[in-house]
């Protein structure tokens, strides 16, 4: 069964430093997508970055990059130059290609709470 | 702003009652997803609709039902509510429901069952 594991319940980082949030996944599907979402204390879910299973290069979006290691089934999020506004919960999620009629719905990890210290 | 709207933002009700949560997807998106976020279960997929038809079901209770209307807005109906149904309910939308598409989430409806 598909599963997302985020092993870091909470992390601290100093403002302006880089931080890596870990995510490992388990799937037997050859085609899948990997996503990171940010959830501030206000509750909304904000899309950050996407990596497709066939993408050769790691995805980048501004200060966010995804360190995709397919053989190790890991999709770690790297945030460079942390800002106070980066303090939030971060969720790793996986979607799968059409399988048994189910396509696209996301499976989420339990999240990592990031706190940025001034 | 993701472009996905959800109403109401907050809902307080009593056990045994029925409520309806409403979602309007982003303009042009045909696929709507419902998710439940609770402290003990985390974020769980409930159900997906595509262009008015049910496409996939997740961990949705029989007391819950949903539909997507011709104008593509969707409603999630929760009945015979229990204390454990208290959660944040998200609607998300994407264009065609492909696994490669980003799902954009609405602000959520926070449900409290007393």
């Amino acid at each position: 069964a598909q599963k997302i594991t985020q092993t870091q319940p909470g992390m601290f980082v100093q403002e302006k430093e880089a931080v890596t949030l870990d995510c490992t996944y388990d799937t037997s599907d050859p085609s899948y997508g990997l996503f990171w979402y940010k959830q501030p204390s206000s509750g909304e879910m904000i899309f950050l970055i996407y990596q497709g299973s066939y993408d050769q290069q790691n995805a980048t979006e501004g200060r966010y990059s995804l360190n995709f290691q397919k053989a190790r089934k890991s999709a770690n999020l790297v945030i460079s130059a942390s800002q106070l506004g980066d303090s939030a919960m971060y969720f790793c999620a996986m979607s799968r290609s059409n399988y048994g009629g189910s396509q696209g719905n996301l499976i989420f990890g339990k999240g990592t709470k990031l706190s940025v210290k001034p | 702003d993701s472009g996905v709207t959800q109403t109401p933002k907050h809902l307080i009700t009593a056990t045994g009652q029925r409520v309806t949560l409403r979602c309007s997807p982003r303009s042009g998106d045909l696929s709507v997803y419902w998710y439940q976020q609770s402290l003990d279960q985390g974020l769980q997929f409930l159900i997906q609709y595509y262009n008015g038809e049910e496409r996939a079901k997740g961990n949705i209770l029989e007391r819950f039902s949903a539909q997507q209307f011709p104008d593509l807005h969707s409603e999630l109906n929760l009945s015979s509510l229990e204390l454990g149904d208290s959660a944040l309910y998200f609607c998300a939308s994407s264009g065609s429901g492909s696994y490669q598409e980003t799902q954009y989430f609405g602000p959520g409806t926070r449900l409290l069952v007393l």
Side-chain angles (χ1 to χ4, degrees):
Chain A
Q2 282 73 13
K3 187 178 178 182
I4 293 282
T5 302
Q6 294 180 255
T7 57
Q8 305 152 313
M11 285 192 72
F12 288 92
V13 65
Q14 204 68 36
E15 194 179 7
K16 298 180 186 177
E17 291 185 352
V19 63
T20 297
L21 306 184
D22 294 342
C23 172
T24 58
Y25 60 93
D26 188 17
T27 182
S28 55
D29 291 344
S31 306
Y32 50 89
L34 295 159
F35 301 81
W36 278 91
Y37 286 86
K38 172 185 177 181
Q39 186 176 39
S41 57
S42 52
E44 71 266 34
M45 294 288 286
I46 302 167
F47 165 72
L48 296 178
I49 197 166
Y50 163 80
Q51 180 86 39
S53 59
Y54 295 113
D55 293 343
Q56 296 295 314
Q57 291 190 323
N58 288 341
T60 59
E61 290 283 354
R63 293 186 300 111
Y64 304 108
S65 61
L66 200 153
N67 185 359
F68 181 46
Q69 297 187 44
K70 194 170 183 178
R72 300 177 70 174
K73 294 190 175 178
S74 74
N76 298 339
L77 177 71
V78 180
I79 306 174
S80 63
S82 297
Q83 301 172 356
L84 295 178
D86 293 334
S87 294
M89 282 291 287
Y90 288 82
F91 291 95
C92 180
M94 177 172 62
S95 65
R96 58 188 188 181
S97 57
N98 196 2
Y99 176 77
S102 175
Q103 177 180 184
N105 49 276
L106 296 174
I107 301 159
F108 286 88
K110 293 190 182 301
T112 295
K113 184 172 182 179
L114 179 66
S115 299
V116 180
K117 297 190 286 186
Chain B
D1 186 348
S2 67
V4 180
T5 60
Q6 288 187 249
T7 56
K9 285 192 174 179
H10 302 275
L11 203 47
I12 302 175
T13 188
T15 55
Q17 295 298 305
R18 173 189 167 96
V19 297
T20 297
L21 313 183
R22 183 187 168 102
C23 166
S24 292
R26 293 189 321 156
S27 177
D29 284 356
L30 298 177
S31 193
V32 168
Y33 305 80
W34 286 97
Y35 294 87
Q36 178 195 59
Q37 184 178 30
S38 62
L39 283 173
D40 49 348
Q41 299 291 329
L43 269 156
Q44 287 197 101
F45 165 70
L46 295 178
I47 197 163
Q48 177 196 4
Y49 278 82
Y50 173 75
N51 203 19
E53 294 192 2
E54 182 184 304
R55 175 173 271 190
K57 262 187 174 178
N59 299 322
I60 188 166
L61 299 171
E62 284 192 14
R63 299 184 286 108
F64 296 0
S65 64
Q67 53 184 326
Q68 186 180 26
F69 294 86
D71 67 352
L72 300 178
H73 91 271
S74 178
E75 292 181 357
L76 179 67
N77 300 296
L78 315 177
S79 61
S80 303
L81 285 166
E82 301 175 0
L83 296 178
D85 298 327
S86 295
L88 185 53
Y89 291 84
F90 285 110
C91 166
S93 75
S94 70
S96 67
S98 162
Y99 75 97
Q100 296 167 301
E101 286 181 334
T102 296
Q103 293 180 30
Y104 291 93
F105 282 69
T109 293
R110 201 171 290 273
L111 173 67
L112 181 58
V113 182
L114 300 174

